Amino acid sequence: MTKELSDKIDVSVGLEALWQALSKDLAVTIVKVIPNIVKDATVVEGDGGIGTVFLFNFFSGVSPVSYQKEKITELDEISHEIGLQVVEGGFLEKGFSYFKTTFQLSAMAEEKTLVKVKISFDFESEMAESVQPVKSAESVLFFVRSLETYLLNDA
């Protein structure tokens, strides 16, 4: 049975800039946003739309896994929603049979955006329960906050 965790965070970045960085430029920005975690990121399949697959390689010692492939399974330019499902490595090596992160962006003001995060997951084994999806949700919020800092200061 698929379980879900949801959270939200306000960021002081305009909707379009945040959407660009999170959807269209993800392979480029993720390495700049969390450079101590992600060693490199590449698009291994697709053109940035639904079905696009990213390969994220992590630094050893920082992550319990060496790599993770994620596929865009949802992409809605109008509602600014993107869903990334792990299709190889990463959480699937830690006992999950399904792991997906969905971001939905909503403008609150010209330079303020609400980011709703939903993590959907299913365990394949009891080992996965020890990974603590709650910690994963905290990591996603950390990434969004780091993305905000990057866009405000470096982009």
Side-chain angles (χ1 to χ4, degrees), residues 16-55:
E16 291 305 323
L18 191 60
W19 177 249
Q20 180 76 27
L22 189 58
S23 63
K24 297 171 180 57
D25 299 337
L26 182 61
V28 174
T29 57
I30 195 166
V31 176
K32 294 176 181 178
V33 170
I34 47 176
N36 299 332
I37 299 169
V38 179
K39 184 177 4 176
D40 59 63
T42 54
V43 175
V44 293
E45 183 180 314
D47 60 1
I50 290 180
T52 297
V53 177
F54 298 97
L55 170 61

Side-chain angles (χ1 to χ4, degrees), residues 19-114:
W19 177 249
Q20 180 76 27
L22 189 58
S23 63
K24 297 171 180 57
D25 299 337
L26 182 61
V28 174
T29 57
I30 195 166
V31 176
K32 294 176 181 178
V33 170
I34 47 176
N36 299 332
I37 299 169
V38 179
K39 184 177 4 176
D40 59 63
T42 54
V43 175
V44 293
E45 183 180 314
D47 60 1
I50 290 180
T52 297
V53 177
F54 298 97
L55 170 61
F56 302 110
N57 288 303
F58 304 109
F59 286 104
S60 61
V62 177
S63 173
V65 295
S66 61
Y67 80 99
Q68 184 163 286
K69 282 188 179 177
E70 296 186 33
K71 178 188 257 185
I72 297 176
T73 56
E74 292 177 49
L75 186 66
D76 188 328
E77 298 276 344
I78 296 167
S79 67
H80 297 96
E81 186 168 355
I82 184 170
L84 297 160
Q85 181 179 334
V86 178
V87 294
E88 187 181 313
F91 287 106
L92 300 184
E93 290 180 1
K94 295 298 173 189
F96 287 87
S97 57
Y98 176 79
F99 200 95
K100 178 179 172 183
T101 305
T102 306
F103 298 89
Q104 183 171 21
L105 312 182
S106 305
M108 299 174 68
E110 190 174 326
E111 294 299 319
K112 191 164 189 137
T113 304
L114 175 66

Side-chain angles (χ1 to χ4, degrees), residues 77-153:
E77 298 276 344
I78 296 167
S79 67
H80 297 96
E81 186 168 355
I82 184 170
L84 297 160
Q85 181 179 334
V86 178
V87 294
E88 187 181 313
F91 287 106
L92 300 184
E93 290 180 1
K94 295 298 173 189
F96 287 87
S97 57
Y98 176 79
F99 200 95
K100 178 179 172 183
T101 305
T102 306
F103 298 89
Q104 183 171 21
L105 312 182
S106 305
M108 299 174 68
E110 190 174 326
E111 294 299 319
K112 191 164 189 137
T113 304
L114 175 66
V115 181
K116 292 181 184 174
V117 176
K118 179 173 71 176
I119 297 176
S120 308
F121 58 94
D122 203 351
F123 302 121
E124 189 172 88
S125 71
E126 290 179 24
M127 183 178 89
E129 292 185 58
S130 67
V131 173
Q132 296 296 324
V134 171
K135 187 173 183 202
S136 300
E138 291 169 0
S139 297
V140 172
L141 294 179
F142 171 79
F143 167 72
V144 172
R145 188 61 73 202
S146 298
L147 180 58
E148 172 190 35
T149 301
Y150 167 76
L151 292 171
L152 289 173
N153 298 317

